[in-house]
Amino acid sequence: MNGDRASLHVLAFVVRLVVSAGVLWLAVEWVSPGNPANTFGRAVAVSIVLSIAYYVTLARFLWFLILPWLLYVFVWLAVVMTSYGLGFFHSLLLALALAFLSWLVSVFLGIRTFRSE
């Protein structure tokens, strides 16, 4: 029984990772069409880094405080800007596109992406 539950958790993690990376990949393509750094593999790596940063900055646990969120926003912007070669305002536009696409995925597919927690 525990093996079945563990495999279901792993499967759920992989599905969320693939969907999160797909949403990030589409959002970058939407904001920065033809960006050579926009690959699905990079989107997977960036999704993993950003989900780890969500926990490390304590934004997940101390959501009611401002400082963890500011730290997470700084890390998010730094990771996205360096990974995709985007400027500050394109990164902010990417955040809006990502929020919108994550919302669409949660409404139509019922899957919460890593960034929509």
Side-chain angles (χ1 to χ4, degrees):
M1 286 284 187
N2 285 339
D4 292 338
R5 286 181 62 95
S7 63
L8 284 177
H9 285 292
V10 169
L11 179 63
F13 173 79
V14 170
V15 168
R16 283 184 73 191
L17 178 61
V18 168
V19 170
S20 295
V23 168
L24 178 59
W25 184 57
L26 287 174
V28 172
E29 184 62 32
W30 194 9
V31 170
S32 178
N35 187 336
N38 188 21
T39 63
F40 189 75
R42 186 176 300 234
V44 168
V46 169
S47 291
I48 290 171
V49 168
L50 291 178
S51 64
I52 291 170
Y54 186 60
Y55 287 93
V56 171
T57 60
L58 300 178
R60 169 79 168 131
F61 307 109
L62 301 175
W63 52 268
F64 51 88
L65 297 177
I66 293 175
L67 187 60
W69 280 106
L70 289 176
L71 182 59
Y72 178 68
V73 167
F74 176 75
V75 169
W76 191 93
L77 285 171
V79 168
V80 167
M81 289 171 70
T82 57
S83 296
Y84 293 107
L86 299 176
F88 179 73
F89 290 110
H90 273 100
S91 296
L92 292 179
L93 187 60
L94 176 65
L96 292 175
L98 196 56
F100 176 69
L101 290 174
S102 294
W103 175 77
L104 284 178
V105 165
S106 68
V107 167
F108 289 112
L109 299 179
I111 300 171
R112 288 181 11 182
T113 61
F114 288 145
R115 282 159 299 285
S116 66
E117 293 183 19

